[in-house]
Amino acid sequence: MVASLDNVRGLTLAMSSSAFIGSSFVIKKIGLKRAGDNGVRAASGGFSYLYEPLWWLGMITMILGEIANFAAYAFAPAVLVTPLGALSIIFSSVLAHFILKERLHMFGVVGCILCVVGSVGIVLHAPKEKSIDSMMEIWHLATQPGFIVYSCVAVACVLVLIFRVVERCGHRRMLVYIAICSLMGSLTVISVKAVAIALKLSFSGSNQFKYVQTWFFIVVVIICCLVQLNYLNKALDAFNTAVVSPVYYVMFTILTIVANMIMYKVN
């Protein structure tokens, strides 16, 4: 019964997170457009959006969503929480259609429906999560050969994309930006899950912040989030929001599930 209640809490937080994050895509897009009219566009390497109030409003909305998402990982398995991000596609696509006048054609509608159907299937068949009682258990799982290989491959791919591919075709190929965000996002989820569990255990009376490993995961979260934020801004500035949102969601969800399967050995 406790596990079931935790799942309900996690699902509620995840759904509210999707509403905030989906809305933030559109608000940030408006801010990026305004900033691009008055300075160098984000897609061209500019940072004029940092002076745009609407972009900051979008950032605050996204932060609220990420806080709710962060809390959700403390109560429910990542393979249950992450797929619910499909709801953010609905919010962002509908808002982009009416507010940004970015037309969502039939294939886009079908794609969104398929994302939601797939997410519901994953949620209904989500495996039971292993019980974690300390940060050292998470660290043991994170230092297994399988997950170390995955992390190294993910970081190597991101570095290649950033230093070899972005400059040549990033402004023409949306998948370049999305791949960077998704690969870093999969590592972010693992680290956020670890920090969320550490907080949950600490509030229960077992201090997990005495371990260096907890702070390591916090640093990873910060680095990964900054990289994601930079390249997601570039993607939103250069491409249609109604396309960026679902493609990012699908790639991010697939990589997150793969990372969790490798680390937690879910089958």
Side-chain angles (χ1 to χ4, degrees):
M1 186 66 185
V2 174
S4 176
L5 182 59
D6 278 352
N7 278 352
V8 171
R9 289 172 178 168
L11 292 177
T12 303
L13 288 165
M15 287 189 287
S16 62
S17 167
S18 294
F20 281 113
I21 292 174
S23 303
S24 74
F25 276 108
V26 176
I27 299 171
K28 286 171 67 179
K29 177 77 173 189
I30 296 173
L32 287 167
K33 278 187 173 181
R34 289 189 180 181
D37 293 337
N38 302 315
V40 181
R41 295 181 60 188
S44 302
F47 294 95
S48 57
Y49 58 83
L50 293 174
Y51 301 98
E52 176 55 51
L54 265 178
W55 183 84
W56 282 107
L57 177 61
M59 270 302 300
I60 292 170
T61 307
M62 177 171 278
I63 289 170
L64 290 173
E66 293 298 347
I67 290 173
N69 202 41
F70 178 90
Y73 283 116
F75 293 102
V79 292
L80 189 61
V81 174
T82 303
L84 286 173
L87 295 176
S88 67
I89 294 176
I90 306 301
F91 279 101
S92 63
S93 297
V94 171
L95 290 175
H97 180 83
F98 289 105
I99 297 176
L100 300 176
K101 307 303 179 185
E102 294 180 349
R103 301 290 296 177
L104 186 63
H105 299 290
M106 183 55 64
F107 283 115
V109 173
V110 172
C112 288
I113 292 173
L114 290 175
C115 287
V116 174
V117 171
S119 297
V120 171
I122 292 173
V123 169
L124 291 176
H125 299 91
K128 186 177 180 180
E129 189 179 39
K130 292 181 179 180
S131 177
I132 304 293
D133 297 318
S134 74
M135 174 55 64
M136 299 313 296
E137 287 186 40
I138 301 176
W139 184 253
H140 174 72
L141 293 170
T143 52
Q144 293 298 302
F147 187 71
I148 290 177
V149 169
Y150 174 83
S151 299
C152 291
V153 170
V155 171
C157 289
V158 167
L159 292 175
V160 169
L161 288 170
I162 291 175
F163 294 109
R164 297 295 297 275
V165 182
V166 165
E167 189 174 345
R168 287 186 297 173
C169 58
H171 61 287
R172 291 183 289 107
R173 306 289 183 184
M174 179 183 65
L175 284 178
V176 174
Y177 294 143
I178 299 300
I180 294 171
C181 293
S182 300
L183 286 164
M184 296 302 283
S186 66
L187 298 178
T188 304
V189 168
I190 293 293
S191 301
V192 164
K193 178 72 175 175
V195 176
I197 290 175
L199 279 170
K200 185 179 179 181
L201 291 172
S202 296
F203 284 132
S204 299
S206 176
N207 182 22
Q208 301 299 304
F209 288 87
K210 62 184 179 181
Y211 299 115
V212 175
Q213 288 85 347
T214 303
W215 296 101
F216 172 82
F217 282 119
I218 292 174
V219 171
V220 172
V221 169
I222 294 171
I223 293 173
C224 289
C225 284
L226 289 174
V227 174
Q228 284 178 262
L229 179 62
N230 183 36
Y231 288 96
L232 183 57
N233 280 332
K234 292 178 183 293
L236 287 172
D237 189 43
F239 304 100
N240 192 314
T241 307
V243 177
V244 171
S245 180
V247 173
Y248 175 41
Y249 162 75
V250 171
M251 188 176 291
F252 168 70
T253 301
I254 290 172
L255 290 172
T256 297
I257 290 175
V258 169
N260 275 273
M261 288 175 63
I262 294 172
M263 179 167 167
Y264 292 101
K265 297 179 176 58
V266 177
N267 50 46

